[in-house]
Amino acid sequence: MGAKTEHEKFVDENISNMLSDGSYFKTNQTHLEYLLSKNYHYNFEWFGRPIIQLPQDIYAVQNMVWQTRPDLIIECGIAHGGSIVLSASLMAQLDMLDAMENSSNQAEFTVRKKRHVVGIDIDIREHNKRAMEAHQLEKYWTLVEGSSIDDDVINAIGTLSKDYNRVMVLLDSNHTHDHVLQELKAYAPLVSKDCYLVVWDSGLEDLSDEANKLVEQNRPWGRGNNPKTAMLEYLESLDEGEMSFEDNKALRAKIGISAASDAFLLRKT
């Protein structure tokens, strides 16, 4: 890696100042809760499919994929499929860039599909399934209908992952503590060294009482019972030297607001 440009140095300093400014995070949290009250995160699509994510988190996924170049992304939670399409489009672009790099003719090159996405959901609605099957990128994903914590599903994903060298995992299905904890036990070990594990909606733990009431809406999760509480328990349970993850706090500061809290986890060992 070469020396950093002046722009890169500026961005590094900018993010460092953000990390040390408590008011920056407090202001962003207030802004996030206001946006959630407007259902802002439902407003977006990616390549034609609804994606229930903040635009800042969409950027974060791009950043992590570009940084680590995975060849398999495992996603728990599909909904309308937008997140699957996002991951697939990034994988397709990496395949295209590989083809361009290996071609002597930049105007004519053949893309060889090397990367893949697996999406798991206990209920893939028929209209979403049809739309995903008709999408131009559909060869880039496999959709698995079943519980992400079912032994048969876990074993199938584990077997499939052995064909890939760099595995990234995104957890975004049932947000209860117990469910996410079981997902972490099953899928965190599949994450390759220097690749990411992302625990979406860990930010539920940090919401105010008023915001929690808006988000819960009779759902079985909330403060004290959510992806972050599961993530913290899981990370604390890891034996030293067995496996370790480091939260990319700089990325979280960079994007300002996010559904993830302390949960852009880069596997270190």
Side-chain angles (χ1 to χ4, degrees):
M1 183 179 294
K4 290 192 174 184
T5 66
E6 290 303 312
H7 176 74
E8 289 169 332
K9 293 176 184 177
F10 169 79
V11 172
D12 285 348
E13 183 177 359
N14 205 32
I15 292 172
S16 178
N17 290 335
M18 291 171 175
L19 283 166
S20 62
D21 183 356
S23 64
Y24 172 75
F25 290 97
K26 184 177 180 180
T27 301
N28 282 331
Q29 185 67 18
T30 300
H31 182 50
L32 170 63
E33 294 188 8
Y34 174 75
L35 292 176
L36 292 177
S37 75
K38 300 297 184 183
N39 293 316
Y40 168 82
H41 49 302
Y42 286 94
N43 289 348
F44 308 100
E45 304 86 31
W46 191 267
F47 282 24
R49 295 305 301 153
I51 181 169
I52 307 173
Q53 284 191 0
L54 298 165
Q56 292 84 350
D57 283 331
I58 294 172
Y59 169 81
V61 171
Q62 178 276 147
N63 187 285
M64 289 182 281
V65 168
W66 178 251
Q67 175 191 347
T68 62
R69 311 292 179 97
D71 55 7
L72 177 67
I73 298 177
I74 300 169
E75 298 201 33
C76 295
I78 293 175
H80 297 277
S83 180
I84 302 293
V85 177
L86 168 64
S87 293
S89 69
L90 295 172
M91 300 296 245
Q93 287 176 321
L94 289 178
D95 281 349
M96 182 187 73
L97 291 173
D98 285 349
M100 292 178 67
E101 185 177 355
N102 295 326
S103 173
S104 58
N105 185 347
Q106 293 294 297
E108 295 182 12
F109 53 88
T110 300
V111 178
R112 184 170 70 87
K113 179 186 175 300
K114 298 182 294 184
R115 295 171 170 87
H116 202 63
V117 180
V118 177
I120 310 163
D121 203 299
I122 197 168
D123 181 19
I124 307 175
R125 304 293 173 86
E126 192 58 37
H127 62 283
N128 289 329
K129 189 182 299 183
R130 288 196 302 271
M132 295 293 282
E133 288 172 349
H135 200 280
Q136 294 95 322
L137 284 168
E138 61 90 18
K139 286 182 172 51
Y140 265 90
W141 57 69
T142 299
L143 304 184
V144 177
E145 189 161 20
S147 172
S148 57
I149 59 174
D150 180 85
D151 285 341
D152 288 341
V153 171
I154 292 170
N155 291 335
I157 301 302
T159 299
L160 183 151
S161 69
K162 292 177 182 178
D163 292 331
Y164 296 88
N165 297 314
R166 297 188 60 76
V167 180
M168 177 179 184
V169 170
L170 310 175
L171 302 181
D172 193 13
S173 60
N174 183 319
H175 294 323
T176 63
H177 176 103
D178 290 344
H179 186 93
V180 176
L181 184 58
Q182 290 186 67
E183 285 184 332
L184 286 164
K185 290 177 179 178
Y187 299 105
L190 300 182
V191 177
S192 303
K193 184 178 180 297
D194 297 323
C195 285
Y196 278 96
L197 164 68
V198 180
V199 186
W200 290 122
D201 288 298
S202 50
L204 286 167
E205 181 70 7
D206 304 325
L207 295 179
S208 66
D209 290 341
E210 183 178 355
N212 252 308
K213 289 177 184 176
L214 290 173
V215 170
E216 284 180 19
Q217 297 176 355
N218 298 317
R219 294 168 176 147
W221 51 75
R223 188 179 295 119
N225 175 19
N226 58 64
K228 188 171 187 176
T229 60
M231 178 187 74
L232 294 176
E233 180 177 330
Y234 177 74
L235 294 176
E236 290 171 4
S237 74
L238 295 178
D239 293 333
E240 188 174 349
E242 171 195 14
M243 182 168 50
S244 64
F245 292 88
E246 180 180 286
D247 176 38
N248 188 341
K249 296 185 183 300
L251 178 56
R252 179 64 179 79
K254 184 177 188 176
I255 62 176
I257 64 173
S258 175
S261 174
D262 305 321
F264 295 141
L265 302 175
L266 185 67
R267 182 167 180 178
K268 305 303 289 184
T269 58

